[in-house]
């Protein structure tokens, strides 16, 4: 389990990010998170958890998860962070390979993001995916732990030729399953689907699956705004 390395706090060298209305500066993040109770943050899942993506000029090349950990550590310097995400895994593989390690880490904040690779299986079943996510959430949603997940971006808004195709339909199914499981376990859903920036092509890497550096910055800001709703008033 590897924590993040310190990331640069200055933004002058990242003019695109500094001017992006969907991103957050360090001061804005600290204001949102003031009073945040979390001291142990874990991320489990696939490549979206791991943080794959392409660089983009004007934006800091750092994953959404590292950015969230950095922002949390700014208000709680002792924060421990473990990102267990591994590319290419199905939900069942995430559960088999990461569930125990995440539970041993004993997080009080945990993100679960997986299921996209299940869509590629010839035998894909939304019901099977839902069962796997239910089991994973059940293990990690311990008393006193905040769990969050994502409704994935609708990339077809940015690439019209994908509308109505397998990727568009698959993302919709995955998001429906994820929202249903999250609701049963009281988990927070970070809604990237329908986000105002989701129609921007530069939010995505060349593969149209992973975020670009801008996408990671926007996802991190959206996550921090969502987490702020769980900070005691």
């Amino acid at each position: 389990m590897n924590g993040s390395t310190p990331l640069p706090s200055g933004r002058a060298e990242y003019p695109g990010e500094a001017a992006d209305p969907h991103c957050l500066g360090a001061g804005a993040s600290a204001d949102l998170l003031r009073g945040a109770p979390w001291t142990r943050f874990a991320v489990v899942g696939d490549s979206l958890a791991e943080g794959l993506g392409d660089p983009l000029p004007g934006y800091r090349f750092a994953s959404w998860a590292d950015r969230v950990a950095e922002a949390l550590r700014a208000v709680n310097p002792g924060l421990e962070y473990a990102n267990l995400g591994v590319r290419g895994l199905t939900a069942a593989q995430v559960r088999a390979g990461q569930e125990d390690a995440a539970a041993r880490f004993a997080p009080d904040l945990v993100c679960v993001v997986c299921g996209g690779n299940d869509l590629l299986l010839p035998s894909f079943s939304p019901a099977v995916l839902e069962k796997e996510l239910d089991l994973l959430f059940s293990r990690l949603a311990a008393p006193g732990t905040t769990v969050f997940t994502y409704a994935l971006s609708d990339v077809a808004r940015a690439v019209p030729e994908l509308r109505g195709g397998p990727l568009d339909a698959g993302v919709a199914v995955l998001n429906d399953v994820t929202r249903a499981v999250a609701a049963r376990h009281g988990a927070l859903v970070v809604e990237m689907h329908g986000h105002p920036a989701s129609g921007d092509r530069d939010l995505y890497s060349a593969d149209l699956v992973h975020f670009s550096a801008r996408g990671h910055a926007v996802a991190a800001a959206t996550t921090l705004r969502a987490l702020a709703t769980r900070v005691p008033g």
Side-chain angles (χ1 to χ4, degrees):
M1 294 186 293
N2 296 320
S4 65
T5 55
L7 298 172
S9 58
R11 299 178 72 213
E13 67 269 48
Y14 306 109
E17 186 169 336
D20 194 321
H22 302 297
C23 296
L24 286 172
S29 297
D31 287 343
L32 282 172
L33 296 174
R34 191 163 288 114
W38 304 295
T39 60
R40 301 183 68 79
F41 172 38
V43 179
V44 300
D46 54 24
S47 59
L48 299 180
E50 183 183 347
L52 298 191
D54 295 342
L56 186 72
Y59 288 81
R60 180 158 60 102
F61 190 43
S63 74
W64 69 265
D66 284 357
R67 287 169 176 271
V68 169
E70 180 188 28
L72 290 168
R73 193 168 281 146
V75 296
N76 282 327
L79 178 89
E80 297 290 335
Y81 165 48
N83 191 328
L84 303 172
V86 176
R87 68 195 71 182
L89 300 187
T90 64
Q93 290 169 332
V94 168
R95 190 166 69 85
Q98 300 175 28
E99 180 182 76
D100 288 345
R104 286 194 301 270
F105 183 71
D108 54 8
L109 177 67
V110 59
C111 176
V112 178
V113 53
C114 58
N117 293 306
D118 294 71
L119 300 175
L120 305 178
L121 298 174
S123 59
F124 170 67
S125 163
V128 171
L129 173 59
E130 188 163 350
K131 180 180 178 181
E132 289 293 340
L133 291 179
D134 253 324
L135 291 168
L136 186 55
F137 276 61
S138 293
R139 179 74 185 280
L140 298 178
T145 300
T146 300
V147 180
F148 70 96
T149 187
Y150 288 89
L152 302 185
S153 300
D154 39 342
V155 65
R157 286 185 59 197
V159 187
E161 55 266 34
L162 296 177
R163 291 175 187 166
L167 179 61
D168 193 17
V171 167
V173 170
L174 176 57
N175 285 345
D176 285 346
V177 170
T178 300
R179 291 187 189 104
V181 174
R184 283 196 291 274
H185 295 278
L188 180 67
V189 178
V190 180
E191 283 284 350
M192 292 304 297
H193 194 273
H195 188 284
S198 63
D200 297 344
R201 176 62 184 82
D202 67 357
L203 203 73
Y204 310 98
S205 290
D207 62 9
L208 299 179
V209 173
H210 301 99
F211 285 128
S212 66
R214 183 188 180 217
H216 281 286
V218 171
T222 306
T223 302
L224 295 175
R225 291 185 178 107
L227 289 176
T229 67
R230 297 290 180 97
V231 173

